[in-house]
């Protein structure tokens, strides 16, 4: 197989994305929250790049069973139903609902995957399930959302641990790009503990706005077996 | 001290660069070649972002003792005196000369450091000398040239090994960004061997254009004790 890891959206060549199965990772917090929402019965999640797009799409889907979700600078967008804390996405709130979501980095990453044949969302919380879903994949891109076009260690480490699981499933030797090689090396050196996450830029930023409680969920490895997969512009639950 | 590693020029915030000692790394091959040139007696190296700028600057410096150097797509620019192979920069060729140099990624990285109080060039070939030169630095940025705004593992590993040496010199605990943390982790997992470099994207690209022989120099750790430091738009030899 061919496996490439890109550490930010800026690194990802559109031509490469068009031909690959793409796994989007935004540990803190978009993909963690998406996994939580789908595990708790949400019907589908529509990632949108802008607030305007989110509002427009929600209006067209029908307001009655659609929740408007997202953050800017970590905080819930004014007038939206939910922010980006995984704990907000309890079954009582999201079950049976469609979610339209716009976050600073995570949902932006999905906007560059629109031509990709298969798109999944991964976090530490569904690592094993995503690895299983990737069995037989020939051409894999792991796209880290990063932070405003920059490297984020939490996403890079998640990419590395995912890749390690995928390669452990066997198959012919993998052709890795520099990012995949680096992510794999990181996964041999670092474990996704709460201490680890609290030390990252993303962890520190969340703590600074009083949302450090979210971090424990973000490193709760394999908490769920759901695999969010893109179908007709929405991520829906597959796997588990 | 505060230490930040950026894996590409795109990651580096201008405001951060303005206040820090910046170490530019482009292992394959710009900073390796610069170290070679200064170790072999070149008077100074003027990094320029564009070919046009290089030609213009050479004319203004005076053609008699100035060499026009650089590459595009790895190959010597037409009409230029030298390409970007370290082996071209022998003492017989460069001693006493001023070099104006334009490369795809490496010299580009210097163009964003123009407001920085101190700018050094580092490669595996002068790692220990640069670490020594950084003693007492409070605010350090290691700027990896990367490859066209993308992560390059060779530069990241060099950054990690440099940082490890700097931190080993002692001093108060360092405040690291995610990139610095990742680079340090990589330096614990990977060594700069020829095998390593041949497996990177940069190594493979060089092999593809028949220049694989350059790689042995690029991983010849501490081959020189010279520290290229920016003074009046030119990198000059300090240290060793």
């Amino acid at each position: 197989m061919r496996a490439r890891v890109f550490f930010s959206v800026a690194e990802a060549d559109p031509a490469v994305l068009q031909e690959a199965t793409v796994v989007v990772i935004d540990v803190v917090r978009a993909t963690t929250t998406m996994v939580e929402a789908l595990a708790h019965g949400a019907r589908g999640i529509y990632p949108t790049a802008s607030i305007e797009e989110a509002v427009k799409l929600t209006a067209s889907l029908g307001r009655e069973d659609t929740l408007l979700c997202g953050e800017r600078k970590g905080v819930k967008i004014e007038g939206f139903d939910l922010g980006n804390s995984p704990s907000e996405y309890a079954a009582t709130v999201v079950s049976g609902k469609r979610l339209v979501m716009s976050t600073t980095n995570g949902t932006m990453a999905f906007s560059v995957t629109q031509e990709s044949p298969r798109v999944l969302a991964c976090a530490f919380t569904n690592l094993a399930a995503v690895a299983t879903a990737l069995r037989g994949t020939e051409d894999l891109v792991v796209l880290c959302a990063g932070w405003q076009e920059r490297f984020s260690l939490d996403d890079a480490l998640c990419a590395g641990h995912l890749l390690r699981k995928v390669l452990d499933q066997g198959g012919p030797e993998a052709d890795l790009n520099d990012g995949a090689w680096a992510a794999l090396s990181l996964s041999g050196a670092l474990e996704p503990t709460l201490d680890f996450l609290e030390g990252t830029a993303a962890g520190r930023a969340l703590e600074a706005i009083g949302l450090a409680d979210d971090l424990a969920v973000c490193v709760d490895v394999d908490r769920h077996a759901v695999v969010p997969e893109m179908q007709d512009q929405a991520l829906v639950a597959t796997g588990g």
Side-chain angles (χ1 to χ4, degrees), chain A:
Chain A
M1 82 182 294
R2 180 162 195 177
R4 282 172 277 204
V5 173
F6 298 118
F7 292 126
S8 72
V9 172
E11 284 197 353
D13 181 344
V16 167
L17 295 176
Q18 267 180 35
E19 304 198 338
T21 293
V22 180
V23 177
V24 174
I25 292 178
D26 186 9
V27 170
V28 179
R29 298 164 288 170
T31 54
T32 300
T33 297
M34 288 168 171
V35 169
E36 209 65 16
L38 292 178
H40 290 155
R43 275 167 59 194
I45 302 169
Y46 296 77
T48 64
S50 71
I51 295 175
E52 295 65 33
E53 199 189 329
V55 171
K56 218 163 148 181
L57 181 59
T58 301
S60 82
L61 288 172
R63 201 67 184 83
E64 65 282 1
D65 66 350
T66 307
L67 295 172
L68 197 45
C69 315
E71 56 72 28
R72 284 298 179 275
K73 296 185 178 170
V75 179
K76 189 178 89 167
I77 298 162
E78 208 184 313
F80 274 37
D81 301 308
L82 299 172
N84 193 23
S85 285
S87 58
E88 296 176 80
Y89 292 73
T92 48
V93 179
V94 301
S95 183
K97 302 281 189 183
R98 286 183 291 209
L99 312 182
V100 174
M101 183 180 279
S102 178
T103 70
T104 311
N105 302 298
T107 63
M108 187 67 88
F110 287 96
S111 69
V112 299
T113 67
Q114 289 178 356
E115 307 292 318
S116 304
R118 192 179 182 208
V119 179
L120 310 177
C122 180
F124 283 116
T125 52
N126 70 339
L127 214 48
V130 174
T132 302
L134 290 172
R135 269 180 206 280
T137 300
E138 293 284 330
D139 193 354
L140 172 65
V141 165
V142 182
L143 179 59
C144 298
W147 181 76
Q148 296 186 348
E149 314 278 281
R150 289 178 176 83
F151 178 88
S152 282
L153 184 54
D154 50 321
D155 294 345
L157 187 63
C158 187
H161 280 282
L162 173 66
L163 203 51
R164 185 168 293 267
K165 276 182 193 287
V166 168
L167 299 180
D168 282 351
Q169 289 172 174
E173 206 183 339
D175 177 18
L176 307 178
N177 77 341
D178 278 13
W181 191 356
L184 264 183
S185 295
L186 290 173
S187 76
L190 298 168
E191 289 300 322
T193 62
L194 187 55
D195 263 5
F196 160 78
L197 197 57
E198 286 173 348
T200 64
R204 289 191 272 183
L206 218 51
E207 196 185 350
I209 56 170
L211 295 174
D213 283 352
D214 286 356
L215 297 176
V217 173
C218 298
V219 288
D220 190 5
V221 178
D222 293 332
R223 168 187 179 90
H224 297 295
V226 71
V227 178
E229 178 158 357
M230 192 65 79
Q231 283 175 16
D232 297 330
Q233 299 191 290
L235 291 154
V236 298
T238 64

